[in-house]
Amino acid sequence: MKRFFLLAITAVLISCTSNAQYVLPELNYGYADLEPYIDSTTMYIHHNNHHAAYTNNLNAALNKYPALRKKAIVEILQNIDELPEDIQTAVRNNGGGYYNHLLFWEFLTPPAQSNMTTKVERALIQNFGSVVKFKEEFEKAAMSRFGSGWAWLIQEDSGRLKVVSTANQDNPLMSYVPEKGAILLGLDVWEHAYYLDYQNLRKKHLEAFWEVVNWKKVESLLK
Ligand code: MN3
């Protein structure tokens, strides 16, 4: 009987550790700290429910293939078409969801700390003509994304900055996405990101976003 318990406990411990490759990240601020631009209930549900579901579903898909659990998420996303066919869609949706939100939380900061840095400002002027023009282009990408998806500021290998948009939980790292580059900034335009605050008014979500962008994070990603 004792031995059975020991075996059972060991089995549970092994299954727990092997299931726990990706974990829901902690936020660097409180759920209410982005108010009045993004309310605490939206942040709580978005992080604790939506992001947690992507994380759990990603782990569940990868658990079928233990060798994949040793790979970094970026490498997995860059090579989704090489994954076993039965988990490609699950990893595209949930691996994308896991990683996009991991970045998204870092792209946000309480409004008092959302000051654009000189380095980012210079890069935006150099690539888009002005900060206003960059924001217009970013908003156009976000507004014209039909249904759910993301707007991104990326840096191509040439160093050039570009605004792109992807559907669902795709991102500019994925082989499916034609316009690739390193991600500098991203905005979630799924309705779950803004419905409680702004209902169907995506434009208001965009206006709010500019008040809570973590430009220091953007600067840290600039090459
Ligand atoms: Mn989301």
Side-chain angles (χ1 to χ4, degrees):
M1 197 63 182
K2 230 181 200 172
R3 182 178 287 181
F4 170 78
F5 269 121
L6 275 177
L7 282 173
I9 288 167
T10 311
V12 167
L13 283 176
I14 288 171
S15 73
C16 282
T17 45
S18 67
N19 278 332
Q21 194 198 0
Y22 293 106
V23 293
L24 187 66
E26 300 265 337
L27 302 184
N28 296 323
Y29 39 79
Y31 288 126
D33 290 351
L34 307 181
E35 291 185 351
Y37 302 103
I38 307 178
D39 82 304
S40 61
T41 309
T42 297
M43 284 302 295
Y44 176 78
I45 296 171
H46 201 173
H47 176 253
N48 199 60
N49 298 16
H50 291 277
H51 197 185
Y54 296 128
T55 307
N56 293 339
N57 293 339
L58 170 64
N59 286 327
L62 294 180
N63 278 341
K64 293 184 193 167
Y65 298 93
L68 290 173
R69 297 208 315 266
K70 295 185 189 115
K71 291 195 177 180
I73 185 66
V74 167
E75 194 190 343
I76 290 174
L77 295 181
Q78 284 169 333
N79 301 288
I80 287 180
D81 42 7
E82 288 166 22
L83 292 177
E85 252 177 56
D86 65 321
I87 62 164
Q88 276 192 22
T89 304
V91 174
R92 181 177 180 173
N93 292 336
N94 295 290
Y98 164 76
Y99 188 64
N100 293 346
H101 288 83
L102 184 82
L103 296 176
F104 186 50
W105 309 134
E106 295 197 10
F107 290 143
L108 302 174
T109 196
Q113 290 153 39
S114 174
N115 305 310
M116 188 175 289
T117 69
T118 311
K119 198 174 159 191
V120 171
E121 190 178 9
R122 272 199 213 117
L124 293 177
I125 292 169
Q126 199 185 339
N127 285 271
F128 299 96
S130 70
V131 172
V132 170
K133 279 189 186 149
F134 154 69
K135 286 186 176 178
E136 280 171 6
E137 203 170 310
F138 193 91
E139 289 184 10
K140 198 174 144 202
M143 290 302 291
S144 58
R145 167 54 52 197
F146 182 77
S148 298
W150 292 74
W152 306 99
L153 172 66
I154 61 171
Q155 186 163 31
E156 294 177 324
D157 288 344
S158 65
R160 183 171 156 242
L161 305 195
K162 201 169 177 184
V163 167
V164 298
S165 156
T166 56
N168 304 315
Q169 295 296 354
D170 286 352
N171 67 43
L173 304 174
M174 292 179 178
S175 50
Y176 306 98
V177 176
E179 290 168 305
K180 281 186 209 50
I183 296 168
L184 302 182
L185 179 66
L187 173 63
D188 188 340
V189 297
W190 285 56
E191 279 187 348
H192 67 227
Y194 60 89
Y195 207 84
L196 295 180
D197 283 308
Y198 307 115
Q199 296 76 51
N200 57 326
L201 305 175
R202 189 181 286 182
K203 185 78 169 69
K204 292 208 167 189
H205 174 51
L206 280 161
E207 287 163 11
F209 175 62
W210 297 128
E211 303 294 332
V212 289
V213 172
N214 185 353
W215 295 108
K216 286 191 194 85
K217 179 68 188 176
V218 177
E219 176 172 322
S220 76
L221 297 169
L222 259 179
K223 271 169 244 136

